[in-house]
Amino acid sequence: MMDFLFIFIKTAVVLSIVLFHVAYTTYAERKIIGRAQARMGPMEVGPHGLLQPIADFIKIFFKEDIVPANAERFIFKIAPIIVLVFTLVNLSVIPFDRNFMLADLNIGLLFILAMASLSVYGIILAGWSSNSKYSFLGGIRSASQVLSYEIALGLALAGVVLQAGSLNLRDIVLSQHETVFGVYAIPQIIGFVVFVIAAFAETNRAPFDLPEAETELVAGYLTEYSAFRYALFFLGEYVAMYVMAFLCAICFLGGWTIPKFITEILPFLEKVPGIIWFAIKVYVFIFLYIWVRATLPRYRFDQLLLIGWKVLIPLGILNLLIIAFIKRLSL
Amino acid sequence: MGSMEIEKIDEKTFVLQMGPHHPATHGVLKLLCEFEGERVVKITPDVGYLHRGVEKLGEHKTYISAMTLTDRLDYISSMTNNIAYCLAVERLLHIEPPPRAKFIRTIVSELTRLSSHLLWLATHALDIGAMTVFLYAFREREQILQFFEKICGARLTVSYPRIGGVRLDVKDRVLEEIYNFMDVMLKRVDEYEGLLTENRIWISRTKGVGVISAEEALELGLTGPALRGSGVNYDIRKHMPYDAYDEVSFEIPLGTQGDTYDRYLCRIREMRQSSLIVKQCIERMPKGDILHPDAPDLDMPHQGKRKIEAGDSLWSGFIGFSNKKEDIMPKGEIYSAIEAPKGELGIYLISDGSGRPYRMRVRAPSFVHISAIPKMCKGHLLADVIAIIGTLDIVMGEADR
């Protein structure tokens, strides 16, 4: 009974912290992009617009939930929930600190990849059930995009798994800490770059935000959604961004640890709690997401698939080969 | 309109109705697109959603008050619309504005070109996904609109030029501000280029998209940057100079491939040239009158031919123009064109001697450019359609009139 309660509280803590972060990521995004574009961003609600996410939440919660007349009602209603649930589930295997994770799963990485593919199911259903051409095109685009980039993402992570010798996310961090550089991003620089690009595509973010390319497809699979169901999709997208940032921090940047050669020079840094290092790494990755969105135009759909299949997948395989070679030599 | 049907070629295709309200069709352009997957099979543009009958309304207004209608044609560049109209009437009346007015007109029409190209750059880049350029361009456009406000008090629908000159003189202080801003503007154009010109994504989205050869462009009647992007050297400012264009030196940027990227480069270089023209004009600004002595009053079209003597001008105007038989204008017809930011803007006027145009016809570049959409889009993808609409720089106020 106590165990159950403990897990319950832990889950609540993780969920609330992540959702709080998601809310304020929208604020940070608007502020950072605003700064990049020589304007202020939200300023009205609260000091410096700090209460803006709450105001947005209240507003969208009280909007009318419209279901188009010709939509497939049940699927239309359940699709955003599918997206959100399959992205939130990922949080259960993320090790935030040495001893803080919800489930110490032996196949954590595989679990995340599986759930990430499942969440695209919700997007396809949303696009199809809306019974609108724009939504349909958006759904189809999303399906082929995520399927193509999943392979590149998987190949990039395969290098990590090979070097760490484990699918358990905690073991990956611990074995990473034992290496010379302390991070996998240096020996696996190719894999790291492939991972970052694929992560952008996987989460439908700029410059790969084609499924919801607002200028061509109005809002892609989101076109017919309104009110809280619309917000659920956005919540899903931002949680997925965080999951990718967690994955990047854990698999390539050493998770909650910092490289040994740094602590040898500056030993006092070891006193800093691991969760702070983890958070810094995640924030940097999220900042990268926002920065890229402010800077780059959008790829065309065929170009996107071309990059996925012709550039990223061969690079991922190359990375895997290099890592296998290194691993063989060091044995 | 409204009842247009598109015949489906076969079962593999589907028809998508883009517009009249769609985030990227720039106003109320409606495109009936037939796609196979995401590839365009056929596109039929449908115009007329913004029709206000400007040409017909012109027949019911006096020559001077009809000018305010031209503001609403291409509402982004109303200065050049006004100038196009005023030039046509001036040529009909055989009067020429004084040199200072000519230079002021050149300055405002180049400022208009800048602001129109800025708006084009902003929306075109936003359509392709580059959000930041949009806000950068609007920042500078705001400056230019503020200059318009300082010159004539209005920002968008300016009605600043008059038949035979301009309405108000420009203060030296404002000229100096404009002069200083042009140096800033040149740096800002570099800034936009830094974000786009060598950007790999931008190049892959625009190179080879919407290619149109020089012959095809001429056949379709494209003008302005859309034609010069294909390498045809045709610019009315150079070939049939009006206002002060024969007194300033500038280059005409030309493209070679005729694709979206070349048209983009053309417009960017044109923005630099415009800034340089404005600077030259301010340096050489002559002193003197701003309105021709024979220029028609606001209430009467042609001085010296005033026949009715009434107590006040409003009254005389009322009598003068309610009587259509009054012979106060030279009879005849005229086509006069200028180089508007979007292409050749022509005004065709028929005068029957009365104080109102017998017929006013506007040759709007946007309307002609829309007819090029089906040809340019063929075989391209859905995303390219958006890029092509952007690169043609269409304003529906002008196309539907």
Side-chain angles (χ1 to χ4, degrees):
Chain A
M1 189 58 207
M2 277 309 284
D3 268 6
F4 182 74
L5 201 67
F6 190 59
I7 289 173
F8 191 76
I9 291 169
K10 255 170 117 178
T11 313
V13 166
V14 168
L15 263 185
S16 52
I17 288 176
V18 170
L19 290 184
F20 176 81
H21 270 81
V22 165
Y24 275 90
T25 308
T26 61
Y27 173 78
E29 179 162 18
R30 290 165 73 175
K31 275 284 182 195
I32 293 168
I33 291 184
R35 186 52 66 91
Q37 295 170 342
R39 57 189 174 89
M40 307 287 282
M43 287 296 284
E44 289 300 317
V45 192
H48 291 272
L50 269 169
L51 300 177
Q52 189 68 45
I54 296 160
D56 286 346
F57 173 80
I58 293 170
K59 180 190 164 211
I60 210 154
F61 194 73
F62 287 102
K63 288 269 177 189
E64 189 189 348
D65 179 20
I66 301 165
V67 182
N70 292 328
E72 190 73 40
R73 288 186 75 87
F74 177 69
I75 296 176
F76 184 84
K77 284 186 170 175
I78 209 169
I81 299 167
I82 294 177
V83 173
L84 187 63
V85 165
F86 283 123
T87 39
L88 282 179
V89 155
N90 287 331
L91 298 175
S92 59
V93 291
I94 302 285
F96 295 94
D97 199 352
R98 187 179 298 272
N99 295 315
F100 191 82
M101 58 206 298
L102 293 182
D104 192 359
L105 211 58
N106 270 333
I107 49 157
L109 195 57
L110 204 62
F111 180 80
I112 287 183
L113 283 177
M115 288 303 140
S117 335
L118 270 176
S119 70
V120 73
Y121 190 55
I123 291 177
I124 300 170
L125 285 181
W128 174 74
S129 67
S130 301
N131 204 0
S132 148
K133 283 164 185 168
Y134 290 119
S135 304
F136 183 63
L137 276 175
I140 299 227
R141 278 185 176 191
S142 191
S144 41
Q145 175 176 331
V146 173
L147 285 180
S148 332
Y149 277 81
E150 197 101 301
I151 303 169
L153 195 78
L155 279 172
L157 291 175
V160 173
V161 173
L162 194 63
Q163 202 169 2
S166 167
L167 277 164
N168 185 320
L169 290 171
R170 190 161 69 163
D171 292 349
I172 288 176
V173 173
L174 290 176
S175 69
Q176 202 167 165
H177 194 53
E178 300 302 317
T179 59
V180 188
F181 301 112
V183 288
Y184 280 160
I186 292 172
Q188 306 207 21
I189 184 71
I190 305 171
F192 181 57
V193 172
V194 170
F195 175 84
V196 170
I197 298 173
F200 276 70
E202 185 79 7
T203 47
N204 295 335
R205 291 282 299 186
F208 305 116
D209 53 345
L210 293 139
E212 46 193 290
E214 70 249 2
T215 48
E216 310 148 34
L217 297 182
V218 188
Y221 57 88
L222 292 167
T223 307
E224 303 294 339
Y225 278 91
S226 58
F228 209 65
R229 289 182 206 285
Y230 179 81
L232 287 183
F233 273 115
F234 263 83
L235 217 56
E237 184 184 315
Y238 279 87
V239 173
M241 269 167 70
Y242 267 99
V243 170
M244 283 299 154
F246 291 153
L247 216 54
C248 178
I250 290 165
C251 294
F252 289 100
L253 301 175
W256 64 83
T257 63
I258 46 169
K260 276 181 182 158
F261 63 88
I262 296 180
T263 44
E264 272 164 22
I265 305 165
L266 304 162
F268 63 89
L269 287 178
E270 279 199 84
K271 299 277 188 293
V272 179
I275 187 82
I276 290 188
W277 295 121
F278 188 69
I280 290 172
K281 286 164 189 172
V282 170
Y283 291 156
V284 167
F285 198 74
I286 294 287
F287 179 76
L288 185 69
Y289 263 120
I290 297 168
W291 186 16
V292 165
R293 182 171 169 216
T295 317
L296 292 182
R298 186 181 299 122
Y299 266 114
R300 203 171 62 203
F301 189 58
D302 57 326
Q303 291 162 348
L304 169 95
L305 291 186
L306 216 70
I307 295 168
W309 289 98
K310 277 192 175 170
V311 181
L312 291 187
I313 291 176
L315 278 180
I317 293 170
L318 180 71
N319 178 58
L320 194 60
L321 283 176
I322 293 171
I323 297 305
F325 197 65
I326 292 174
K327 185 92 176 168
R328 182 80 190 85
L329 281 185
S330 60
L331 274 178
Chain B
M1 204 178 88
S3 60
M4 270 180 74
E5 284 293 324
I6 189 162
E7 243 179 74
K8 278 180 75 175
I9 293 174
D10 60 54
E11 284 303 306
K12 276 191 226 159
T13 63
F14 76 104
V15 177
L16 186 70
Q17 217 186 89
M18 275 172 87
H21 47 240
H22 182 281
T25 54
H26 293 208
V28 287
L29 174 65
K30 179 177 161 191
L31 295 173
L32 286 160
C33 316
E34 191 167 354
F35 288 108
E36 191 180 334
E38 283 212 23
R39 206 161 280 280
V40 176
V41 181
K42 192 179 165 194
I43 277 195
T44 318
D46 185 7
V47 296
Y49 285 90
L50 203 61
H51 177 69
R52 291 148 301 170
V54 168
E55 292 173 358
K56 189 70 186 165
L57 280 172
E59 297 170 16
H60 294 272
K61 298 228 180 274
T62 63
Y63 278 100
I64 290 165
S65 53
M67 191 189 73
T68 54
L69 294 173
T70 60
D71 276 331
R72 278 90 182 155
L73 285 175
D74 171 3
Y75 37 78
I76 294 154
S77 43
S78 44
M79 282 284 190
T80 47
N81 300 343
N82 292 157
I83 289 170
Y85 177 79
C86 290
L87 265 174
V89 182
E90 280 160 14
R91 283 170 180 166
L92 195 66
L93 287 166
H94 300 293
I95 58 172
E96 222 172 83
R100 186 173 172 89
K102 281 186 169 183
F103 272 85
I104 293 176
R105 277 191 188 182
T106 312
I107 291 172
V108 292
S109 62
E110 286 312 310
L111 284 177
T112 304
R113 194 179 314 281
L114 276 173
S115 96
S116 168
H117 281 3
L118 281 172
L119 194 91
W120 156 81
L121 180 70
T123 51
H124 188 41
L126 187 69
D127 286 350
I128 293 182
M131 188 166 45
T132 301
V133 184
F134 176 81
L135 284 134
Y136 281 7
F138 263 72
R139 179 181 59 189
E140 271 72 72
R141 184 166 176 267
E142 176 62 28
Q143 282 282 314
I144 292 173
L145 294 185
Q146 274 177 9
F147 287 138
F148 285 167
E149 209 174 344
K150 281 177 184 168
I151 291 171
C152 68
R155 287 159 59 90
L156 275 177
T157 48
V158 284
S159 287
Y160 172 61
R162 281 278 173 271
I163 297 160
V166 291
R167 180 154 56 97
L168 297 160
D169 204 351
V170 187
K171 290 192 178 70
D172 285 342
R173 182 174 46 81
V174 178
L175 285 179
E176 201 182 305
E177 272 177 42
I178 297 175
Y179 190 84
N180 294 335
F181 176 68
M182 284 305 125
D183 289 329
V184 179
M185 189 67 219
L186 287 170
K187 283 193 202 98
R188 295 284 158 83
V189 175
D190 293 339
E191 213 171 86
Y192 312 143
E193 281 217 277
L195 274 169
L196 296 176
T197 305
E198 278 168 25
N199 188 323
R200 285 176 64 109
I201 302 179
W202 180 260
I203 290 174
S204 61
R205 280 301 300 277
T206 54
K207 266 216 168 124
V209 172
V211 180
I212 195 144
S213 71
E215 291 80 34
E216 284 173 330
L218 283 170
E219 273 171 19
L220 284 163
L222 301 187
T223 45
L227 178 67
R228 293 195 283 273
S230 303
V232 182
N233 190 346
Y234 175 70
D235 189 322
I236 302 174
R237 290 178 292 171
K238 205 81 170 176
H239 297 106
M240 279 164 271
Y242 55 96
D243 289 345
Y245 282 112
D246 47 355
E247 292 178 51
V248 289
S249 63
F250 61 98
E251 283 166 24
I252 303 170
L254 292 176
T256 47
Q257 309 294 320
D259 57 6
T260 304
Y261 187 68
D262 273 20
R263 285 187 285 272
Y264 156 77
L265 282 182
C266 265
R267 287 199 177 94
I268 287 281
R269 286 188 204 134
E270 244 172 51
M271 279 158 74
R272 290 216 176 87
Q273 292 299 324
S274 292
S275 313
L276 295 177
I277 294 174
V278 171
K279 281 175 82 173
Q280 287 178 48
C281 283
I282 295 175
E283 278 160 12
R284 289 201 234 147
M285 177 67 89
K287 292 257 177 286
D289 282 342
I290 50 159
L291 202 61
H292 192 270
D294 278 345
D297 281 357
L298 271 179
D299 55 340
M300 286 291 279
H302 202 203
Q303 276 184 352
K305 289 194 174 182
R306 203 182 280 236
K307 283 184 183 161
I308 302 145
E309 284 172 25
D312 58 86
S313 61
L314 190 71
W315 179 237
S316 73
F318 178 72
I319 298 172
F321 302 117
S322 52
N323 178 9
K324 270 221 161 189
K325 285 174 192 137
E326 208 72 52
D327 201 22
I328 40 181
M329 285 287 284
K331 283 184 185 169
E333 53 190 87
I334 191 158
Y335 175 80
S336 126
I338 65 152
E339 185 71 25
K342 295 181 173 61
E344 175 178 337
L345 175 68
I347 306 273
Y348 177 65
L349 286 170
I350 302 181
S351 160
D352 61 350
S354 72
R356 306 160 201 229
Y358 178 75
R359 172 83 169 96
M360 181 174 117
R361 154 99 187 130
V362 181
R363 184 236 184 253
S366 295
F367 181 67
V368 180
H369 289 179
I370 287 173
S371 66
I373 291 178
K375 184 156 215 163
M376 289 167 99
C377 289
K378 199 145 200 179
H380 279 308
L381 295 165
L382 172 59
D384 294 330
V385 175
I386 305 302
I388 288 167
I389 297 173
T391 188
L392 283 173
D393 197 7
I394 289 161
V395 167
M396 291 313 284
E398 182 179 57
D400 293 342
R401 299 192 287 283

